[in-house]
Amino acid sequence: MYAAHAPETRPATRNAHNTGCSGCAHAATCQAGGYGEATLSGLRDIVERVGLLRDGEYLYRPRTPFRALYAVQSGMAKTVAVDSSGREQVLAFHLPGELFALDAICLGHHDNAVIALGRTQFCRFPFDRLRCLTTTQPDVQWHLMHTMSRQIHQQRLSGGDYPAEERMAAFLTNLSDRRTLLGLRTDHLPLPMSRADIGNHLRLATETVSRLLARFRDARLIRVERQGIEVLNGKGLREIGRHLLQA
Amino acid sequence: MYAAHAPETRPATRNAHNTGCSGCAHAATCQAGGYGEATLSGLRDIVERVGLLRDGEYLYRPRTPFRALYAVQSGMAKTVAVDSSGREQVLAFHLPGELFALDAICLGHHDNAVIALGRTQFCRFPFDRLRCLTTTQPDVQWHLMHTMSRQIHQQRLSGGDYPAEERMAAFLTNLSDRRTLLGLRTDHLPLPMSRADIGNHLRLATETVSRLLARFRDARLIRVERQGIEVLNGKGLREIGRHLLQA
DNA sequence: CGACTCTTTGATCCTGATCAACACCGGTGG
DNA sequence: CCACCGGTGTTGATCAGGATCAAAGAGTCG
């Protein structure tokens, strides 16, 4: 609950006409609106901007009606599910351009929460408009399906039964790879989430996260900072996590 | 490897005109072709039947080009991924009517295998025809998206960090619930997969699977048989796995 | 029947969780 | 400016859930 101190927020939603994708640093690689720039331009017309949200603020909460898909525009966010006993599970961390809330389509409402990690802005794709688009533009439809397929594919990796060290290394390498796709630096990985969040996501105790980072530090693989790490030996890190990667 | 003894098979593919969905016991509840019977009839025209495959035979293997989506028609199947070190991971078990291979859409090829558990028949939906359908029939498109969303949603459950006993109970209850949807008996659950498969899927050693089943037996929750279990107290089972269920 | 595989049960071990204590940082107010 | 304070991160000591090792029982198929 440490990062969820903010009360229910109704963040400002501005129309895209003010802030189109043309000014977005990730427009070219955005999984939500990007890819073929000309062909998918329909998406750019329906996108809205949400935010700015600050650390710990909610984009949406469980039991909220499903109205739109989202992507991070800048910053970072986490998806958190809460089970019947109140235990939280960090399902994913989202980087700019990565589409989420796809799981809510079949339910009609969100059954998990999305919370900003640090100052974060979002792109919002109203679903009714999206449905109109997909019926008229087959490539938008195809693109969405592609994205959903990718998500089904990716999730399978996180289920595996691998030692803690390998899961940790794979997690960091995966983050690095996703940043590469976005054209961001990979010698330094910001980790705006808490150690508890990382541990929860990887099924590890926070103490174990600390210890593993310390172990990687002692092996000269990384330099540990409070809100991130500096990658000294990405190859070595990838080697440790290789079994979990690229499937 | 015990259940993968069969050599590469080229199972007979018959056209649907011979064996339409009208004769299928699961037509009404089939997640692939069913739901609205009249509206989605387009799917019925493109479906082909594959099989009969026997225990351990492959429907497809990794690195096979992606040409179609599949569903189980009768019997049961498992999806198995193999990582770079050769270790296998059982990603899912498939019951009749459940669509799979959705993860291959984004890759263009299958990166895991589907293997029959006992005598099993499959429905095959050629993807090029499916794409044609979705462009002309919005409800087919919507249906597919719905199914993919559901799969994204479901998978998140299997990632959680819960004690072995809860995972096992949740697994059995989940199987039971899925059978309920299909209108099948739930007082007896066939388990045509090996204990090793179950354990792999749940991140448990086969010995632990055995011990947990024995524990449930001693608690009068189930009666253990070789290829399945008899459910004596489904409520009790659900109670143990409640944290993992229904999210 | 006999060879083989799968399952069950028991004994021991080990990875990572839990418990505990301390260090660090950021903010607040004296 | 520094003392204080609460939240977060690190490190050490102990514990336990489930893995692994080992061996015997139960189907299955020749």
Short mmCIF file of all heavy atoms in Angstrom, two decimals, chain A residues 128-185:
data_model
loop_
_atom_site.label_atom_id
_atom_site.label_comp_id
_atom_site.label_asym_id
_atom_site.label_seq_id
_atom_site.Cartn_x
_atom_site.Cartn_y
_atom_site.Cartn_z
N ASP A 128 -15.24 2.12 -27.77
CA ASP A 128 -16.33 2.16 -28.76
C ASP A 128 -15.83 2.73 -30.09
O ASP A 128 -16.17 2.23 -31.17
CB ASP A 128 -17.53 2.95 -28.22
CG ASP A 128 -17.12 4.29 -27.63
OD1 ASP A 128 -15.90 4.58 -27.63
OD2 ASP A 128 -18.00 5.03 -27.17
N ARG A 129 -14.98 3.74 -29.99
CA ARG A 129 -14.42 4.29 -31.21
C ARG A 129 -13.46 3.30 -31.87
O ARG A 129 -13.37 3.21 -33.10
CB ARG A 129 -13.65 5.58 -30.91
CG ARG A 129 -14.54 6.67 -30.34
CD ARG A 129 -13.98 8.03 -30.70
NE ARG A 129 -14.68 9.08 -29.97
CZ ARG A 129 -14.23 10.31 -29.87
NH1 ARG A 129 -13.06 10.64 -30.43
NH2 ARG A 129 -14.91 11.21 -29.21
N LEU A 130 -12.76 2.58 -31.02
CA LEU A 130 -11.83 1.58 -31.53
C LEU A 130 -12.58 0.53 -32.33
O LEU A 130 -12.14 0.09 -33.40
CB LEU A 130 -11.10 0.93 -30.35
CG LEU A 130 -9.67 0.42 -30.56
CD1 LEU A 130 -8.78 1.49 -31.16
CD2 LEU A 130 -9.11 -0.07 -29.25
N ARG A 131 -13.72 0.11 -31.79
CA ARG A 131 -14.53 -0.90 -32.50
C ARG A 131 -15.00 -0.39 -33.85
O ARG A 131 -15.01 -1.14 -34.82
CB ARG A 131 -15.73 -1.30 -31.64
CG ARG A 131 -15.35 -2.21 -30.49
CD ARG A 131 -16.58 -2.74 -29.80
NE ARG A 131 -17.31 -3.71 -30.61
CZ ARG A 131 -18.36 -4.40 -30.18
NH1 ARG A 131 -18.79 -4.21 -28.96
NH2 ARG A 131 -18.96 -5.26 -30.95
N CYS A 132 -15.38 0.86 -33.90
CA CYS A 132 -15.76 1.43 -35.19
C CYS A 132 -14.60 1.37 -36.16
O CYS A 132 -14.74 0.95 -37.31
CB CYS A 132 -16.19 2.90 -35.01
SG CYS A 132 -17.69 3.10 -34.06
N LEU A 133 -13.44 1.76 -35.67
CA LEU A 133 -12.25 1.77 -36.50
C LEU A 133 -11.95 0.38 -37.08
O LEU A 133 -11.66 0.23 -38.27
CB LEU A 133 -11.03 2.23 -35.70
CG LEU A 133 -10.58 3.67 -35.84
CD1 LEU A 133 -9.24 3.85 -35.15
CD2 LEU A 133 -10.49 4.07 -37.30
N THR A 134 -12.02 -0.63 -36.20
CA THR A 134 -11.62 -1.96 -36.65
C THR A 134 -12.56 -2.50 -37.71
O THR A 134 -12.13 -3.29 -38.56
CB THR A 134 -11.58 -2.96 -35.47
OG1 THR A 134 -12.87 -3.00 -34.87
CG2 THR A 134 -10.53 -2.56 -34.46
N THR A 135 -13.82 -2.10 -37.66
CA THR A 135 -14.75 -2.61 -38.67
C THR A 135 -14.48 -1.99 -40.03
O THR A 135 -14.69 -2.64 -41.06
CB THR A 135 -16.21 -2.33 -38.27
OG1 THR A 135 -16.35 -0.93 -38.01
CG2 THR A 135 -16.59 -3.10 -37.02
N THR A 136 -14.00 -0.76 -40.04
CA THR A 136 -13.74 -0.10 -41.32
C THR A 136 -12.30 -0.27 -41.78
O THR A 136 -12.03 -0.31 -42.98
CB THR A 136 -14.05 1.41 -41.22
OG1 THR A 136 -13.24 1.97 -40.17
CG2 THR A 136 -15.51 1.64 -40.89
N GLN A 137 -11.37 -0.38 -40.82
CA GLN A 137 -9.97 -0.49 -41.19
C GLN A 137 -9.39 -1.83 -40.75
O GLN A 137 -9.01 -2.01 -39.60
CB GLN A 137 -9.16 0.64 -40.54
CG GLN A 137 -9.42 1.99 -41.17
CD GLN A 137 -8.37 2.99 -40.73
OE1 GLN A 137 -8.53 3.67 -39.74
NE2 GLN A 137 -7.27 3.07 -41.50
N PRO A 138 -9.31 -2.76 -41.68
CA PRO A 138 -8.83 -4.11 -41.33
C PRO A 138 -7.42 -4.11 -40.75
O PRO A 138 -7.08 -4.96 -39.93
CB PRO A 138 -8.85 -4.84 -42.67
CG PRO A 138 -9.83 -4.09 -43.51
CD PRO A 138 -9.70 -2.66 -43.09
N ASP A 139 -6.58 -3.15 -41.15
CA ASP A 139 -5.22 -3.18 -40.62
C ASP A 139 -5.17 -2.79 -39.15
O ASP A 139 -4.31 -3.27 -38.41
CB ASP A 139 -4.29 -2.30 -41.47
CG ASP A 139 -4.93 -0.97 -41.81
OD1 ASP A 139 -6.13 -0.81 -41.54
OD2 ASP A 139 -4.22 -0.10 -42.34
N VAL A 140 -6.10 -1.96 -38.71
CA VAL A 140 -6.17 -1.65 -37.29
C VAL A 140 -6.58 -2.91 -36.52
O VAL A 140 -6.02 -3.23 -35.48
CB VAL A 140 -7.19 -0.53 -37.01
CG1 VAL A 140 -7.41 -0.36 -35.51
CG2 VAL A 140 -6.71 0.78 -37.63
N GLN A 141 -7.55 -3.59 -37.07
CA GLN A 141 -8.02 -4.84 -36.49
C GLN A 141 -6.87 -5.85 -36.37
O GLN A 141 -6.63 -6.45 -35.32
CB GLN A 141 -9.10 -5.40 -37.39
CG GLN A 141 -9.68 -6.71 -36.96
CD GLN A 141 -10.34 -7.38 -38.15
OE1 GLN A 141 -10.20 -8.58 -38.35
NE2 GLN A 141 -11.03 -6.62 -38.98
N TRP A 142 -6.16 -5.99 -37.47
CA TRP A 142 -5.04 -6.91 -37.51
C TRP A 142 -3.96 -6.52 -36.50
O TRP A 142 -3.39 -7.36 -35.81
CB TRP A 142 -4.47 -6.90 -38.94
CG TRP A 142 -3.16 -7.58 -39.07
CD1 TRP A 142 -1.96 -7.00 -39.33
CD2 TRP A 142 -2.90 -8.98 -38.95
NE1 TRP A 142 -0.98 -7.95 -39.38
CE2 TRP A 142 -1.53 -9.16 -39.14
CE3 TRP A 142 -3.70 -10.09 -38.69
CZ2 TRP A 142 -0.92 -10.42 -39.09
CZ3 TRP A 142 -3.10 -11.33 -38.63
CH2 TRP A 142 -1.73 -11.49 -38.84
N HIS A 143 -3.73 -5.24 -36.40
CA HIS A 143 -2.73 -4.73 -35.48
C HIS A 143 -3.09 -5.05 -34.03
O HIS A 143 -2.26 -5.49 -33.25
CB HIS A 143 -2.60 -3.22 -35.68
CG HIS A 143 -1.70 -2.56 -34.71
ND1 HIS A 143 -0.36 -2.85 -34.62
CD2 HIS A 143 -1.93 -1.61 -33.76
CE1 HIS A 143 0.20 -2.12 -33.67
NE2 HIS A 143 -0.74 -1.37 -33.13
N LEU A 144 -4.34 -4.85 -33.69
CA LEU A 144 -4.81 -5.14 -32.34
C LEU A 144 -4.65 -6.63 -32.03
O LEU A 144 -4.19 -7.02 -30.96
CB LEU A 144 -6.28 -4.76 -32.20
CG LEU A 144 -6.63 -3.63 -31.26
CD1 LEU A 144 -8.13 -3.50 -31.13
CD2 LEU A 144 -5.99 -3.84 -29.90
N MET A 145 -5.04 -7.43 -32.97
CA MET A 145 -4.95 -8.88 -32.78
C MET A 145 -3.50 -9.31 -32.60
O MET A 145 -3.18 -10.13 -31.75
CB MET A 145 -5.57 -9.58 -34.00
CG MET A 145 -5.91 -11.02 -33.75
SD MET A 145 -6.73 -11.75 -35.17
CE MET A 145 -8.32 -11.02 -35.04
N HIS A 146 -2.66 -8.70 -33.38
CA HIS A 146 -1.22 -8.95 -33.28
C HIS A 146 -0.72 -8.62 -31.89
O HIS A 146 0.02 -9.38 -31.26
CB HIS A 146 -0.53 -8.08 -34.34
CG HIS A 146 0.79 -8.59 -34.78
ND1 HIS A 146 1.97 -8.28 -34.16
CD2 HIS A 146 1.13 -9.42 -35.80
CE1 HIS A 146 2.97 -8.87 -34.78
NE2 HIS A 146 2.49 -9.58 -35.77
N THR A 147 -1.12 -7.48 -31.40
CA THR A 147 -0.70 -7.04 -30.08
C THR A 147 -1.19 -7.98 -28.99
O THR A 147 -0.46 -8.32 -28.06
CB THR A 147 -1.22 -5.61 -29.81
OG1 THR A 147 -0.78 -4.75 -30.86
CG2 THR A 147 -0.73 -5.10 -28.48
N MET A 148 -2.43 -8.41 -29.11
CA MET A 148 -2.97 -9.32 -28.11
C MET A 148 -2.25 -10.66 -28.16
O MET A 148 -1.95 -11.25 -27.13
CB MET A 148 -4.47 -9.51 -28.34
CG MET A 148 -5.26 -8.24 -28.10
SD MET A 148 -7.03 -8.45 -28.34
CE MET A 148 -7.50 -9.11 -26.74
N SER A 149 -1.97 -11.10 -29.37
CA SER A 149 -1.24 -12.35 -29.52
C SER A 149 0.12 -12.26 -28.84
O SER A 149 0.55 -13.17 -28.15
CB SER A 149 -1.06 -12.68 -31.00
OG SER A 149 -0.16 -13.74 -31.17
N ARG A 150 0.78 -11.13 -29.06
CA ARG A 150 2.09 -10.96 -28.46
C ARG A 150 1.99 -11.04 -26.94
O ARG A 150 2.83 -11.62 -26.27
CB ARG A 150 2.69 -9.61 -28.87
CG ARG A 150 4.15 -9.49 -28.45
CD ARG A 150 4.49 -8.08 -28.10
NE ARG A 150 4.05 -7.16 -29.13
CZ ARG A 150 4.87 -6.59 -30.01
NH1 ARG A 150 6.13 -6.86 -29.96
NH2 ARG A 150 4.39 -5.76 -30.90
N GLN A 151 0.92 -10.45 -26.41
CA GLN A 151 0.77 -10.45 -24.97
C GLN A 151 0.52 -11.86 -24.43
O GLN A 151 1.05 -12.24 -23.38
CB GLN A 151 -0.36 -9.51 -24.57
CG GLN A 151 -0.05 -8.81 -23.28
CD GLN A 151 -0.60 -7.40 -23.22
OE1 GLN A 151 -1.43 -7.11 -22.39
NE2 GLN A 151 -0.15 -6.54 -24.10
N ILE A 152 -0.28 -12.62 -25.14
CA ILE A 152 -0.48 -14.01 -24.74
C ILE A 152 0.85 -14.75 -24.76
O ILE A 152 1.18 -15.50 -23.85
CB ILE A 152 -1.48 -14.71 -25.69
CG1 ILE A 152 -2.87 -14.13 -25.51
CG2 ILE A 152 -1.49 -16.23 -25.46
CD1 ILE A 152 -3.89 -14.63 -26.51
N HIS A 153 1.63 -14.47 -25.79
CA HIS A 153 2.91 -15.13 -25.93
C HIS A 153 3.88 -14.76 -24.82
O HIS A 153 4.54 -15.62 -24.24
CB HIS A 153 3.50 -14.77 -27.30
CG HIS A 153 4.76 -15.47 -27.60
ND1 HIS A 153 5.98 -14.86 -27.61
CD2 HIS A 153 5.00 -16.77 -27.89
CE1 HIS A 153 6.91 -15.74 -27.90
NE2 HIS A 153 6.34 -16.91 -28.08
N GLN A 154 3.96 -13.49 -24.52
CA GLN A 154 4.92 -13.00 -23.53
C GLN A 154 4.63 -13.55 -22.13
O GLN A 154 5.53 -13.95 -21.41
CB GLN A 154 4.89 -11.47 -23.45
CG GLN A 154 5.12 -10.77 -24.77
CD GLN A 154 6.58 -10.46 -25.01
OE1 GLN A 154 7.45 -11.27 -24.68
NE2 GLN A 154 6.84 -9.32 -25.59
N GLN A 155 3.35 -13.52 -21.79
CA GLN A 155 2.99 -13.89 -20.42
C GLN A 155 3.42 -15.29 -20.05
O GLN A 155 3.66 -15.59 -18.89
CB GLN A 155 1.47 -13.79 -20.24
CG GLN A 155 0.99 -12.38 -20.03
CD GLN A 155 -0.50 -12.33 -19.83
OE1 GLN A 155 -1.12 -13.32 -19.45
NE2 GLN A 155 -1.09 -11.20 -20.09
N ARG A 156 3.53 -16.13 -21.05
CA ARG A 156 3.86 -17.51 -20.76
C ARG A 156 5.23 -17.62 -20.10
O ARG A 156 5.51 -18.54 -19.34
CB ARG A 156 3.84 -18.33 -22.04
CG ARG A 156 2.67 -17.99 -22.93
CD ARG A 156 2.26 -19.15 -23.77
NE ARG A 156 0.87 -19.46 -23.53
CZ ARG A 156 0.14 -20.29 -24.26
NH1 ARG A 156 0.69 -20.90 -25.29
NH2 ARG A 156 -1.12 -20.52 -23.97
N LEU A 157 6.10 -16.67 -20.41
CA LEU A 157 7.45 -16.73 -19.86
C LEU A 157 7.46 -16.58 -18.35
O LEU A 157 8.24 -17.23 -17.65
CB LEU A 157 8.31 -15.63 -20.47
CG LEU A 157 8.54 -15.72 -21.98
CD1 LEU A 157 9.46 -14.61 -22.44
CD2 LEU A 157 9.11 -17.08 -22.33
N SER A 158 6.59 -15.71 -17.86
CA SER A 158 6.67 -15.38 -16.44
C SER A 158 6.15 -16.52 -15.56
O SER A 158 6.31 -16.49 -14.35
CB SER A 158 5.89 -14.10 -16.15
OG SER A 158 4.55 -14.25 -16.59
N GLY A 159 5.54 -17.52 -16.15
CA GLY A 159 5.01 -18.61 -15.36
C GLY A 159 6.03 -19.66 -14.98
O GLY A 159 5.82 -20.42 -14.04
N GLY A 160 7.14 -19.70 -15.67
CA GLY A 160 8.09 -20.79 -15.55
C GLY A 160 8.71 -20.97 -14.17
O GLY A 160 8.72 -20.07 -13.35
N ASP A 161 9.25 -22.15 -13.98
CA ASP A 161 9.82 -22.55 -12.70
C ASP A 161 11.35 -22.52 -12.81
O ASP A 161 11.97 -23.53 -13.10
CB ASP A 161 9.31 -23.95 -12.35
CG ASP A 161 9.96 -24.52 -11.12
OD1 ASP A 161 10.31 -23.73 -10.23
OD2 ASP A 161 10.12 -25.75 -11.07
N TYR A 162 11.91 -21.33 -12.59
CA TYR A 162 13.35 -21.16 -12.70
C TYR A 162 13.90 -20.58 -11.40
O TYR A 162 13.16 -19.94 -10.66
CB TYR A 162 13.67 -20.22 -13.86
CG TYR A 162 13.30 -20.80 -15.20
CD1 TYR A 162 12.05 -20.59 -15.76
CD2 TYR A 162 14.22 -21.56 -15.91
CE1 TYR A 162 11.72 -21.13 -16.99
CE2 TYR A 162 13.90 -22.11 -17.14
CZ TYR A 162 12.65 -21.89 -17.68
OH TYR A 162 12.33 -22.44 -18.89
N PRO A 163 15.18 -20.80 -11.12
CA PRO A 163 15.74 -20.26 -9.88
C PRO A 163 15.66 -18.74 -9.83
O PRO A 163 15.60 -18.07 -10.87
CB PRO A 163 17.19 -20.74 -9.90
CG PRO A 163 17.39 -21.51 -11.13
CD PRO A 163 16.12 -21.61 -11.88
N ALA A 164 15.66 -18.23 -8.61
CA ALA A 164 15.49 -16.79 -8.37
C ALA A 164 16.48 -15.96 -9.19
O ALA A 164 16.10 -14.96 -9.80
CB ALA A 164 15.65 -16.49 -6.89
N GLU A 165 17.71 -16.38 -9.20
CA GLU A 165 18.75 -15.60 -9.89
C GLU A 165 18.44 -15.46 -11.37
O GLU A 165 18.57 -14.38 -11.95
CB GLU A 165 20.10 -16.29 -9.71
CG GLU A 165 21.26 -15.48 -10.19
CD GLU A 165 22.58 -16.21 -9.98
OE1 GLU A 165 22.71 -17.37 -10.43
OE2 GLU A 165 23.48 -15.61 -9.36
N GLU A 166 17.96 -16.54 -11.99
CA GLU A 166 17.66 -16.49 -13.41
C GLU A 166 16.45 -15.61 -13.68
O GLU A 166 16.43 -14.86 -14.67
CB GLU A 166 17.40 -17.91 -13.95
CG GLU A 166 18.63 -18.80 -13.84
CD GLU A 166 18.43 -20.17 -14.48
OE1 GLU A 166 17.56 -20.31 -15.35
OE2 GLU A 166 19.15 -21.10 -14.09
N ARG A 167 15.44 -15.69 -12.83
CA ARG A 167 14.26 -14.84 -13.03
C ARG A 167 14.65 -13.37 -12.94
O ARG A 167 14.20 -12.54 -13.75
CB ARG A 167 13.19 -15.16 -11.98
CG ARG A 167 12.63 -16.58 -12.09
CD ARG A 167 11.18 -16.65 -11.69
NE ARG A 167 10.94 -16.33 -10.30
CZ ARG A 167 11.12 -17.17 -9.29
NH1 ARG A 167 11.56 -18.39 -9.51
NH2 ARG A 167 10.86 -16.81 -8.07
N MET A 168 15.50 -13.06 -11.97
CA MET A 168 15.92 -11.67 -11.78
C MET A 168 16.72 -11.18 -12.99
O MET A 168 16.44 -10.10 -13.51
CB MET A 168 16.80 -11.59 -10.52
CG MET A 168 17.09 -10.19 -10.08
SD MET A 168 15.60 -9.35 -9.49
CE MET A 168 16.23 -7.69 -9.37
N ALA A 169 17.66 -11.96 -13.42
CA ALA A 169 18.49 -11.57 -14.57
C ALA A 169 17.62 -11.42 -15.81
O ALA A 169 17.78 -10.48 -16.59
CB ALA A 169 19.59 -12.59 -14.80
N ALA A 170 16.70 -12.34 -15.99
CA ALA A 170 15.82 -12.29 -17.16
C ALA A 170 14.93 -11.05 -17.10
O ALA A 170 14.68 -10.40 -18.12
CB ALA A 170 14.96 -13.55 -17.23
N PHE A 171 14.48 -10.71 -15.93
CA PHE A 171 13.65 -9.52 -15.77
C PHE A 171 14.40 -8.27 -16.20
O PHE A 171 13.88 -7.45 -16.97
CB PHE A 171 13.21 -9.41 -14.30
CG PHE A 171 12.56 -8.10 -13.95
CD1 PHE A 171 11.30 -7.80 -14.42
CD2 PHE A 171 13.21 -7.19 -13.14
CE1 PHE A 171 10.70 -6.59 -14.09
CE2 PHE A 171 12.62 -5.98 -12.81
CZ PHE A 171 11.36 -5.68 -13.29
N LEU A 172 15.61 -8.13 -15.73
CA LEU A 172 16.39 -6.95 -16.08
C LEU A 172 16.73 -6.93 -17.56
O LEU A 172 16.64 -5.88 -18.22
CB LEU A 172 17.69 -6.92 -15.24
CG LEU A 172 17.49 -6.78 -13.73
CD1 LEU A 172 18.81 -6.91 -12.99
CD2 LEU A 172 16.81 -5.46 -13.40
N THR A 173 17.08 -8.07 -18.10
CA THR A 173 17.41 -8.14 -19.52
C THR A 173 16.19 -7.83 -20.37
O THR A 173 16.27 -7.12 -21.38
CB THR A 173 17.96 -9.53 -19.87
OG1 THR A 173 19.09 -9.81 -19.04
CG2 THR A 173 18.38 -9.59 -21.33
N ASN A 174 15.05 -8.35 -19.96
CA ASN A 174 13.80 -8.08 -20.67
C ASN A 174 13.50 -6.58 -20.67
O ASN A 174 13.17 -6.00 -21.71
CB ASN A 174 12.67 -8.86 -20.00
CG ASN A 174 11.31 -8.60 -20.63
OD1 ASN A 174 10.97 -7.46 -20.92
ND2 ASN A 174 10.54 -9.65 -20.85
N LEU A 175 13.64 -5.95 -19.52
CA LEU A 175 13.45 -4.50 -19.45
C LEU A 175 14.37 -3.80 -20.43
O LEU A 175 13.97 -2.89 -21.17
CB LEU A 175 13.74 -4.00 -18.04
CG LEU A 175 12.59 -3.74 -17.09
CD1 LEU A 175 13.08 -3.02 -15.86
CD2 LEU A 175 11.51 -2.92 -17.77
N SER A 176 15.61 -4.22 -20.41
CA SER A 176 16.61 -3.62 -21.29
C SER A 176 16.22 -3.78 -22.76
O SER A 176 16.31 -2.83 -23.55
CB SER A 176 17.97 -4.26 -21.01
OG SER A 176 18.92 -3.81 -21.95
N ASP A 177 15.77 -4.98 -23.11
CA ASP A 177 15.38 -5.25 -24.50
C ASP A 177 14.20 -4.39 -24.92
O ASP A 177 14.14 -3.88 -26.04
CB ASP A 177 15.03 -6.73 -24.68
CG ASP A 177 16.26 -7.62 -24.61
OD1 ASP A 177 17.38 -7.09 -24.68
OD2 ASP A 177 16.10 -8.85 -24.49
N ARG A 178 13.25 -4.25 -24.01
CA ARG A 178 12.09 -3.43 -24.33
C ARG A 178 12.49 -1.98 -24.50
O ARG A 178 11.94 -1.26 -25.34
CB ARG A 178 11.04 -3.57 -23.23
CG ARG A 178 10.26 -4.89 -23.34
CD ARG A 178 9.73 -5.35 -22.00
NE ARG A 178 8.68 -4.51 -21.47
CZ ARG A 178 8.24 -4.57 -20.21
NH1 ARG A 178 8.79 -5.45 -19.36
NH2 ARG A 178 7.28 -3.78 -19.80
N ARG A 179 13.47 -1.53 -23.73
CA ARG A 179 13.96 -0.16 -23.89
C ARG A 179 14.70 0.01 -25.20
O ARG A 179 14.62 1.06 -25.84
CB ARG A 179 14.86 0.21 -22.70
CG ARG A 179 14.06 0.46 -21.42
CD ARG A 179 14.98 0.74 -20.24
NE ARG A 179 15.77 1.94 -20.40
CZ ARG A 179 15.33 3.19 -20.14
NH1 ARG A 179 14.10 3.36 -19.69
NH2 ARG A 179 16.11 4.23 -20.30
N THR A 180 15.38 -1.02 -25.62
CA THR A 180 16.06 -0.97 -26.91
C THR A 180 15.06 -0.71 -28.03
O THR A 180 15.29 0.13 -28.91
CB THR A 180 16.80 -2.29 -27.18
OG1 THR A 180 17.78 -2.49 -26.16
CG2 THR A 180 17.48 -2.26 -28.55
N LEU A 181 13.94 -1.44 -27.99
CA LEU A 181 12.90 -1.25 -29.00
C LEU A 181 12.40 0.19 -29.03
O LEU A 181 12.01 0.70 -30.08
CB LEU A 181 11.71 -2.17 -28.72
CG LEU A 181 11.92 -3.66 -29.00
CD1 LEU A 181 10.68 -4.45 -28.61
CD2 LEU A 181 12.28 -3.88 -30.46
N LEU A 182 12.43 0.85 -27.87
CA LEU A 182 11.94 2.22 -27.79
C LEU A 182 13.03 3.23 -28.10
O LEU A 182 12.78 4.43 -28.08
CB LEU A 182 11.38 2.48 -26.38
CG LEU A 182 10.12 1.69 -26.01
CD1 LEU A 182 9.82 1.85 -24.53
CD2 LEU A 182 8.95 2.16 -26.85
N GLY A 183 14.24 2.73 -28.33
CA GLY A 183 15.33 3.63 -28.61
C GLY A 183 15.87 4.34 -27.37
O GLY A 183 16.45 5.41 -27.46
N LEU A 184 15.67 3.72 -26.20
CA LEU A 184 16.15 4.33 -24.96
C LEU A 184 17.49 3.72 -24.55
O LEU A 184 17.85 2.63 -25.01
CB LEU A 184 15.12 4.12 -23.85
CG LEU A 184 13.73 4.72 -24.10
CD1 LEU A 184 12.74 4.25 -23.05
CD2 LEU A 184 13.81 6.23 -24.13
N ARG A 185 18.18 4.42 -23.68
CA ARG A 185 19.48 3.92 -23.20
C ARG A 185 19.28 2.58 -22.48
O ARG A 185 18.29 2.36 -21.79
CB ARG A 185 20.11 4.87 -22.17
CG ARG A 185 19.91 6.31 -22.39
CD ARG A 185 20.43 7.12 -21.19
NE ARG A 185 21.67 6.58 -20.63
CZ ARG A 185 22.23 7.06 -19.52
NH1 ARG A 185 21.68 8.05 -18.86
NH2 ARG A 185 23.34 6.53 -19.06
#
